[in-house]
Amino acid sequence: MLSIRNLYKHFGNLIAVNNLSLTVDPGETVVIMGPSGCGKSTTIRTINRLIEPDSGSVIFDGVDITNLGEDELRSMRKRIGYVFQHFNLINRLSAVENIMLGLVMSGQSKEEAYDKAMAAMTKVGLEHLQDQKPGELSGGQQQRVGIARALAFEPELMLWDEPTASLDPMLVREVLVVMEELAKYRAATMVVVTHEIAFALHVADRIVLMEKGTIVESGIPNQVFVNPASHVGRQYKELIEYQLSTSARTLAGNRVA
Ligand SMILES: Nc1ncnc2c1ncn2[C@@H]1O[C@H](COP(=O)(O)OP(=O)(O)O)[C@@H](O)[C@H]1O
Ligand SMILES: [Mg+2]
């Protein structure tokens, strides 16, 4: 479905993505993790050429996206949904209008766009809030509108770049729940950049760990987090063990007290 081959991207002297290759199967949910600055966003943004790679190929459904002309790229992008860390909603438009905008701009009638937008709003559980402006919604609800905006195109591939990173911790869960539902029904193939370890453990078919612009380890969650082969993998394992043991000790202590 998606095959990234020998991808490179430099910014001046800095190599942000260094000979990265990754294949994602149809319906698969791949979670990319790694320390800040290791090249996760650059990698995910080169897939639909929000960032132009220096070299390498991105084959999607048999087509090399890096070779497409402007018009072909535009139609290709309709097949690839993208959810940003910052939701980038338009404040003067209602939730449903935010979702309709891209559909209408790509040539659909208002009626058709409205129906698709409402179907997408329903998928994220927000159909009752269609007329609210972004400012009247919580951060979690705004991000769910952002997700619905991507879903409305019925994408074959969904790219997520830290979709919960700018949310208040209390609002993270509602967004993860929506993501988990989408992954479960395999409506789209998903490539997710996130720091949410519990989500990765529970939802990922495969976890890909990056360091310094390249993939250092990849495998099922139980392998990567239980028996890691890389430095980054061992750091995640220690973090999980710390979180589990401190939670367990605290809960046990509270019970005694
Ligand atoms: N537009 C840019 N100009 C210069 N350097 C950049 C640019 N975008 C990213 N970088 C650098 O490339 C590296 C990888 O960045 P990024 O892909 O955003 O990492 P991550 O998403 O894993 O935190 C970082 O060192 C970052 O500072
Ligand atoms: Mg990033």
Side-chain angles (χ1 to χ4, degrees):
M1 136 76 71
L2 174 71
S3 177
I4 301 172
R5 294 182 197 155
N6 305 109
L7 194 72
Y8 284 92
K9 179 66 186 180
H10 298 71
F11 295 109
N13 288 334
L14 183 121
I15 305 181
V17 179
N18 189 2
N19 194 23
L20 182 141
S21 297
L22 173 68
T23 299
V24 183
D25 292 330
E28 196 180 16
T29 296
V30 170
V31 170
I32 301 180
M33 304 181 83
S36 184
C38 73
K40 303 179 299 293
S41 294
T42 308
T43 300
I44 208 166
R45 283 165 172 257
T46 52
I47 293 173
N48 59 1
R49 280 171 58 194
L50 292 174
I51 293 177
E52 293 285 351
D54 297 336
S55 62
S57 52
V58 178
I59 317 279
F60 176 70
D61 195 20
V63 177
D64 189 346
I65 296 180
T66 62
N67 286 336
L68 296 180
E70 244 176 69
D71 288 345
E72 297 163 313
L73 179 59
R74 209 170 301 127
S75 32
M76 182 56 94
R77 280 183 178 156
K78 288 179 196 158
R79 302 170 58 188
I80 304 177
Y82 195 97
V83 180
F84 302 86
Q85 178 176 338
H86 301 285
F87 339 122
N88 303 323
L89 300 176
I90 298 172
N91 281 322
R92 63 186 165 74
L93 298 181
S94 70
V96 72
E97 286 167 346
N98 263 283
I99 301 169
M100 288 171 64
L101 184 66
L103 299 169
V104 171
M105 273 169 42
S106 71
Q108 299 189 15
S109 71
K110 278 205 167 149
E111 292 72 26
E112 195 181 357
Y114 178 80
D115 289 345
K116 286 197 176 158
M118 284 310 295
M121 286 283 276
T122 305
K123 279 187 192 152
V124 300
L126 288 183
E127 63 281 14
H128 58 296
L129 297 179
Q130 58 160 305
D131 293 326
Q132 307 291 111
K133 300 266 168 65
E136 298 160 346
L137 300 172
S138 73
Q141 290 168 336
Q142 288 183 51
Q143 184 58 305
R144 283 153 69 194
V145 174
I147 295 170
R149 179 179 52 190
L151 287 179
F153 282 92
E154 294 167 352
E156 294 150 68
L157 173 65
M158 287 275 282
L159 307 175
W160 309 75
D161 192 359
E162 300 200 32
T164 59
S166 55
L167 294 176
D168 181 294
M170 296 304 284
L171 303 177
V172 166
R173 198 185 61 90
E174 65 181 273
V175 172
L176 294 179
V177 165
V178 167
M179 295 171 68
E180 185 179 338
E181 285 288 297
L182 294 172
K184 192 160 77 185
Y185 293 110
R186 302 193 181 275
T189 303
M190 311 223 296
V191 180
V192 185
V193 173
T194 183
H195 292 293
E196 297 291 338
I197 293 179
F199 174 84
L201 266 172
H202 184 53
V203 179
D205 294 309
R206 191 149 50 99
I207 291 177
V208 167
L209 299 183
M210 285 184 67
E211 190 172 24
K212 295 183 185 144
T214 199
I215 294 173
V216 290
E217 178 160 8
S218 142
I220 59 167
N222 270 342
Q223 174 200 325
V224 170
F225 287 149
V226 175
N227 197 9
S230 66
H231 172 66
V232 181
R234 284 189 290 277
Q235 285 182 318
Y236 277 113
K237 180 182 176 181
E238 283 166 17
L239 180 59
I240 291 168
E241 286 170 351
Y242 170 79
Q243 288 176 344
L244 285 174
S245 69
T246 38
S247 306
R249 259 186 288 127
T250 308
L251 289 173
N254 288 347
R255 228 175 281 130
V256 172

